[in-house]
Amino acid sequence: MKRPSHDQRGYHCLATNAINNTSEVGQAIAKRSGTFSLTFFIKGDEAICSLRSIAPFDVSVIATHFGGGGHAQASGFTVPIKCFFSEIFGGDDSGLKTIPWALDG
């Protein structure tokens, strides 16, 4: 699995809020990042998250970690808003996000 840049807190990717065309938006952002992207939208008290990647990076590992699924280049998951902001965005509200996951592999 190709690893994006990371530090002790996890992986870095580009993320954006997208309600429509999430596949197309996510794929364009993944191409720009060179590894993977996260698109999301808030619905009620949950965050609906979509991951897209450029091979050979496997986003299904990340989606599975959060109770979702999919395949290597397109996966998704839904989490409570509190988890989304604390675990995924790490409390940071800048434009470029650090995804605080340390995955083995």
Side-chain angles (χ1 to χ4, degrees), residues 17 19 40-48 81 84-85:
N17 179 278
I19 296 172
F40 66 93
F41 66 93
I42 305 300
K43 183 176 181 181
D45 61 351
E46 296 181 318
I48 313 303
I81 290 175
F84 181 71
F85 287 109

Side-chain angles (χ1 to χ4, degrees), residues 11-98:
Y11 296 100
H12 301 274
C13 80
L14 297 176
T16 191
N17 179 278
I19 296 172
N20 298 312
N21 303 315
T22 56
S23 292
E24 295 83 359
V25 170
Q27 191 62 34
I29 294 171
K31 285 180 183 177
R32 186 171 183 182
S33 77
T35 53
F36 77 105
S37 69
L38 167 70
T39 58
F40 66 93
F41 66 93
I42 305 300
K43 183 176 181 181
D45 61 351
E46 296 181 318
I48 313 303
C49 302
S50 177
L51 301 166
R52 296 294 183 269
S53 70
I54 303 302
F57 189 82
D58 183 358
V59 290
S60 69
V61 176
I62 297 169
T64 301
H65 176 79
F66 287 101
H71 57 85
Q73 272 66 64
S75 296
F77 59 94
T78 301
V79 293
I81 290 175
K82 185 175 181 179
C83 171
F84 181 71
F85 287 109
S86 65
E87 292 184 38
I88 297 171
F89 276 82
D92 181 6
D93 62 0
S94 64
L96 183 63
K97 300 302 178 192
T98 297

